[in-house]
Amino acid sequence: MDHHWVATSWLSDVGLPQYSQTFQSHLVDGRVLNSLNRRDLERFLNISDQFHQTSLLLGIQLLQMLSFDKEALQARRTKCEHQNRDPIVWTCHRVMKWIRDIDLKEFADNLQGKGIHGAVMALDQSFDTDAMAKALGIPSNKHMLHRHLYEEMKSLAVPLSNTEQDTEVIGCSSPVAVNRFADERMSIRRSGKSPLRLRANSHSVERSLGFHGSCSSLPREARVQAVPRAKGSPMHTYKSVEITNV
């Protein structure tokens, strides 16, 4: 992954093309990406926005999960280009397409330059329905739109059956292949290479591979079958990923 690809394609994919010139001038390639942490982003690349830092670090974590294999990343993205599945690999542009597809097209362009991509939606525990609505510019008094967004985000977390051995969906278009992430999560735990810097009072954090919203609660029948999660989370179906503080 040369610095030109990182500064153009990768930054565009994570929704932060405004930092392209900075990354170009510092010759940030794949090897440099793999070593970056939050302090580096602020000190050397002058990226002070906390959410932009998180967006970049989660984009780096996704690359680590795939061993920086951009061909494998592109292959997975191609498979979900027209299906609402495998959202962890979605680019910012794919997220915007999804927003248009769920009848919120008037808000989709507001995501440009915000740094919202699939890894943020799937791995950032603090990114909930309210955060997405704020990024989209949906007024807080538009309660039905918030509810609609909540339900659509929740629908992306349909789990695979425990009897399915493959990551492909049989007979339906499940949005996320949970089993596919099992080995990747174990690799993250063993390597301890997560670029995220956690709060000082915690050495590790369980992050759900899903979305966390405060708009409403799951229907009763869904709550009965779901795995318990933190209060306010619309995602009750994902296994968690442990991110090690390094």
Side-chain angles (χ1 to χ4, degrees):
M1 293 183 176
D2 59 49
H3 68 275
H4 179 73
W5 181 85
V6 170
T8 55
S9 297
W10 185 74
L11 282 177
S12 177
D13 288 345
V14 298
L16 295 170
Q18 61 266 41
Y19 298 115
S20 178
Q21 186 58 49
T22 300
F23 275 61
Q24 281 272 27
S25 62
H26 285 83
L27 302 179
V28 178
D29 58 11
R31 290 172 296 180
V32 175
L33 275 184
N34 195 34
S35 67
L36 289 177
N37 57 44
R38 195 176 292 275
R39 180 190 294 179
D40 296 333
L41 291 174
E42 184 164 5
R43 181 177 180 183
F44 300 113
L45 298 175
N46 298 315
I47 301 174
S48 57
D49 187 287
Q50 292 289 310
F51 183 78
H52 288 181
Q53 292 174 7
T54 298
S55 174
L56 291 167
L57 293 174
L58 289 172
I60 293 170
Q61 184 181 339
L62 175 61
L63 293 177
Q64 291 175 337
M65 292 168 73
L66 296 173
S67 301
F68 283 82
D69 186 341
K70 60 183 180 182
E71 285 76 20
L73 176 60
Q74 185 56 45
R76 282 176 61 169
R77 285 174 172 170
T78 299
K79 289 182 179 180
C80 63
E81 182 62 29
H82 302 291
Q83 298 185 55
N84 292 335
R85 53 174 298 173
D86 206 6
I88 194 172
V89 300
W90 286 7
T91 65
C92 173
H93 312 293
R94 179 63 179 87
V95 174
M96 292 170 67
K97 177 182 181 298
W98 173 71
I99 291 295
R100 296 186 184 99
D101 290 343
I102 63 173
D103 299 321
L104 293 172
K105 60 183 179 181
E106 65 269 35
F107 302 105
D109 289 341
N110 292 337
L111 293 185
Q112 292 182 358
K114 297 290 182 65
I116 295 176
H117 52 92
V120 170
M121 295 170 67
L123 297 174
D124 186 355
Q125 187 176 7
S126 67
F127 191 81
D128 57 11
T129 306
D130 292 336
M132 177 65 91
K134 182 178 180 180
L136 289 169
I138 299 176
S140 59
N141 62 343
K142 299 292 185 179
H143 302 299
M144 293 304 296
L145 290 182
H146 280 254
R147 176 67 187 186
H148 172 67
L149 178 61
Y150 167 82
E151 293 294 342
E152 292 294 340
M153 291 178 72
K154 185 178 72 174
S155 72
L156 288 180
V158 178
L160 291 181
S161 167
N162 291 333
T163 61
E164 289 179 324
Q165 299 300 316
D166 198 356
T167 59
E168 295 300 322
V169 179
I170 301 175
C172 67
S173 56
S174 175
V176 179
V178 176
N179 292 341
R180 175 180 283 154
F181 302 137
D183 293 338
E184 296 167 346
R185 292 198 297 269
M186 289 301 297
S187 177
I188 288 289
R189 292 192 185 105
R190 289 195 299 266
S191 65
K193 292 182 179 180
S194 171
L196 291 177
R197 291 297 182 269
L198 308 178
R199 295 182 178 86
N201 62 355
S202 175
H203 294 289
S204 64
V205 59
E206 289 294 314
R207 292 182 179 271
S208 300
L209 288 179
F211 312 104
H212 304 260
S214 57
C215 180
S216 177
S217 60
L218 282 171
R220 180 181 182 279
E221 56 272 20
R223 295 198 305 268
V224 171
Q225 299 176 1
V227 178
R229 289 291 186 214
K231 182 179 180 182
S233 171
M235 293 295 99
H236 297 269
T237 53
Y238 277 99
K239 296 180 180 179
S240 57
V241 55
E242 181 179 68
I243 300 176
T244 306
N245 186 14
V246 295

